[in-house]
Amino acid sequence: AQSVTQLDSQVPVFEEAPVELRCNYSSSVSVYLFWYVQYPNQGLQLLLKYLSGSTLVKGINGFEAEFNKSQTSFHLRKPSVHISDTAEYFCAVRRSGYSTLTFGKGTMLLVSP
Amino acid sequence: GAGVSQSPRYKVAKRGQDVALRCDPISGHVSLFWYQQALGQGPEFLTYFQNEAQLDKSGLPSDRFFAERPEGSVSTLKIQRTQQEDSAVYLCASSPRQGMGVEDGYTFGSGTRLTVV
């Protein structure tokens, strides 16, 4: 079975500062990795995904993430955040050959002026 | 429709009451998933349909939970004799492809927030 650990429940940051949201996973088999964002009272929106190939993936809204197989990590980064980036961010893993997603507990990104 | 639609958006149920939550997936989407998101937690898998076939229901927490998708489009999640621990947001997601080898993240609906009092 796989699991996903998001080490920070909340990350406060000032507008225009860089941010990194951490995600570690455990799985003994090949996995696909995803980051989702959830705005208040809304569903989950896909930010980016790693399926194969280049370990640095770019997503929407200026976010990017790097897959590190040796450290089993998939940290999300943005060089300069906006107030509108305030939301809950979820890391998720899908095991190769299976359809279901396993989510972390989420990290609340709080951007202040 | 343009997205995944869930109704109702909010539901308050008295303990012991039965509830039915509806999901309208994107037209033509083959795969449909239900997830449960408790307060302060990430979504947890409940069940998965490919067309009308329920291929995986391993995440349903008890036999009080039942899901169906009789015509391969709209799905209903039914919870019988609701308990306080059933309070959560129930998310539906759909995908155009079959389960194995799905490469896209799914499209999620906005969820139904169930509060059992």
Side-chain angles (χ1 to χ4, degrees):
Chain A
Q2 61 267 22
S3 66
V4 179
T5 301
Q6 292 185 244
L7 297 168
D8 305 299
S9 59
Q10 276 193 11
V11 173
V13 64
F14 289 110
E15 193 175 19
E16 297 183 8
V19 70
E20 178 180 85
L21 306 184
R22 297 180 291 171
C23 172
N24 288 85
Y25 68 94
S26 65
S27 176
S28 59
V29 297
S30 296
V31 295
Y32 305 123
L33 296 155
F34 304 82
W35 275 99
Y36 284 85
V37 60
Q38 187 175 36
Y39 298 100
N41 297 317
Q42 294 189 26
L44 298 162
Q45 180 182 3
L46 180 66
L47 271 180
L48 48 78
K49 60 189 176 186
Y50 172 77
L51 304 178
S52 65
S54 173
T55 57
L56 182 64
V57 292
K58 294 186 182 297
I60 62 172
N61 301 341
F63 284 93
E64 63 181 33
E66 186 159 17
F67 171 58
N68 187 320
K69 188 174 182 179
S70 63
Q71 296 187 3
T72 61
S73 67
F74 190 55
H75 300 332
L76 181 71
R77 302 186 184 102
K78 186 170 183 178
S80 176
V81 295
H82 301 287
I83 297 284
S84 60
D85 292 324
T86 294
E88 187 99 33
Y89 292 79
F90 292 94
C91 181
V93 61
R94 181 172 68 80
R95 188 175 162 186
S96 178
Y98 290 79
S99 56
T100 60
L101 290 170
T102 299
F103 287 86
K105 291 187 175 183
T107 297
M108 184 68 196
L109 177 63
L110 299 164
V111 183
S112 56
Chain B
V4 177
S5 178
Q6 292 188 245
S7 60
R9 284 298 309 274
Y10 304 93
K11 175 70 179 177
V12 179
K14 292 184 177 179
R15 194 169 64 176
Q17 187 178 355
D18 297 349
V19 298
L21 312 180
R22 177 187 170 104
C23 173
D24 279 274
I26 294 174
S27 179
H29 275 198
V30 171
S31 296
L32 185 146
F33 304 82
W34 283 98
Y35 283 80
Q36 180 191 57
Q37 185 176 16
L39 188 64
Q41 303 294 317
E44 293 191 356
F45 170 75
L46 292 176
T47 186
Y48 158 58
F49 290 86
Q50 185 176 308
N51 295 307
E52 69 278 4
Q54 189 174 23
L55 298 188
D56 188 347
K57 54 181 181 180
S58 62
L60 296 176
S62 77
D63 59 7
R64 296 187 294 104
F65 286 72
F66 171 76
E68 61 184 4
R69 194 186 184 196
E71 297 179 357
S73 57
V74 172
S75 177
T76 303
L77 176 67
K78 297 179 180 178
I79 309 173
Q80 297 176 325
R81 305 181 303 282
T82 52
Q83 303 295 317
Q84 283 192 320
E85 61 262 28
D86 300 334
S87 295
V89 175
Y90 291 85
L91 294 166
C92 177
S94 70
S95 170
R97 302 180 193 230
Q98 296 182 11
M100 304 288 279
V102 167
E103 294 190 348
D104 297 323
Y106 325 123
T107 301
F108 280 85
S110 297
T112 293
R113 183 179 296 277
L114 173 65
T115 303
V116 181
V117 297

